[in-house]
Amino acid sequence: MNSRRMMVVLAGVCAAGSLVFGQEAKPGVIKLPALPYAESALEPAISAKTMGFHYGKHHKGYLDNLNKLIAVSELESLPLEEIIRVTAKAKDKDGVAIFNNAAQVWNHTFFWNSMKPKGGGKPTGALLEKLEKSFGSYDKFKQAFQDAATGQFGSGWVWLVADGDGLKIIKTSNADTPVAHGQKALLTCDVWEHAYYLDYQNRRKDFVATFLDSLVNWDFAAAQLSR
Ligand code: ZN
């Protein structure tokens, strides 16, 4: 994206600023948010080794790339979500690289928060009602989420998002994110192989079943509804 075009694009989005999970956009430095639990806290569902690589190498790698790419550009003073929106339709090499790395930083932070130790199972209250209204039952939601996860060809993400008064499941490829499409995410599962290969090898279906049964943080999902 050339700088003149970037300035025009920026003029349209600066008023909509927001922060996500304390990721402040100080000039040139977007911070890696701390994990909401210890790297070993999700064992045995996800090993400390997987978390160490996934958070410490993959997530941090996207963040380091992003900070390098936005340094000394008009983007460096923007919050992460705005960097994603500004570059979502970029076609040039730098713009695409910034989008991919920024979206992956956001997606991973959202994924860590979508899980908790001893999570999983059915939600309660208003969220359960919405889930039942939108999918027919919790079991039907679960099946649809698993089908979307196993049906995602290659790398990507499965999301529960708000859809008017209801909820729906979407999947995105590679780094793509609901933030780029103006959708409100409630929950996500990372289905890149790096998320599960050390623990589950090629058994993505087992990983996603474990995510739903033992890891989902429904309190976090419910909190997103009122954001
Ligand atoms: Zn990942």
Side-chain angles (χ1 to χ4, degrees):
M1 193 180 290
N2 67 45
S3 61
R4 191 168 155 219
R5 191 170 133 229
M6 183 77 81
M7 288 304 287
V8 172
V9 176
L10 289 181
V13 298
C14 280
S18 63
L19 296 175
V20 60
F21 314 131
Q23 289 167 323
E24 297 166 42
K26 290 181 181 163
V29 183
I30 290 178
K31 290 180 189 165
L32 186 67
L35 274 178
Y37 33 72
E39 288 184 359
S40 60
L42 303 182
E43 288 190 331
I46 298 179
S47 67
K49 192 175 180 187
T50 289
M51 287 300 294
F53 274 100
H54 201 173
Y55 174 70
K57 303 286 184 197
H58 292 281
H59 194 181
K60 185 174 183 300
Y62 296 124
L63 184 101
D64 291 345
N65 286 340
L66 176 64
N67 278 326
K68 269 183 225 152
L69 286 161
I70 63 172
V72 202
S73 82
E74 296 92 339
L75 293 171
E76 70 174 355
S77 61
L78 289 184
L80 183 60
E81 289 186 353
E82 288 187 18
I83 294 174
I84 293 170
R85 290 185 196 112
V86 166
T87 54
K89 292 193 169 70
K91 295 275 188 278
D92 63 297
K93 190 167 154 263
D94 286 352
V96 170
I98 291 169
F99 173 79
N100 284 337
N101 284 284
Q104 283 294 77
V105 170
W106 193 95
N107 292 349
H108 279 91
T109 303
F110 203 86
F111 177 50
W112 310 137
N113 283 279
S114 294
M115 302 185 287
K116 68 174 186 180
K118 297 194 175 74
K122 268 190 192 184
T124 54
L127 190 53
L128 179 60
E129 276 174 35
K130 266 185 189 291
L131 215 63
E132 289 175 339
K133 208 170 169 185
S134 303
F135 298 98
S137 67
Y138 170 75
D139 286 342
K140 284 184 180 163
F141 152 76
K142 198 173 151 183
Q143 189 62 53
F145 197 93
Q146 281 175 320
D147 289 348
T150 50
Q152 169 58 33
F153 186 77
S155 299
W157 301 82
V158 180
W159 306 82
L160 180 66
V161 300
D163 181 34
D165 284 341
L167 306 171
K168 70 176 176 181
I169 291 166
I170 62 165
K171 48 190 183 178
T172 59
S173 293
N174 299 318
D176 198 14
T177 176
V179 178
H181 307 284
Q183 292 169 306
K184 183 188 277 191
L186 272 59
L187 196 73
T188 194
C189 184
D190 185 344
V191 295
W192 283 60
E193 278 192 350
H194 67 220
Y196 59 87
Y197 207 83
L198 289 176
D199 298 329
Y200 296 84
Q201 290 75 51
N202 61 332
R203 292 176 284 115
R204 182 189 286 184
K205 191 179 172 188
D206 292 350
F207 165 64
V208 177
T210 304
F211 171 83
L212 291 167
D213 291 340
S214 310
L215 296 173
V216 168
N217 183 349
W218 286 116
D219 295 336
F220 174 73
Q224 302 317 300
L225 270 180
S226 50
R227 267 185 82 215

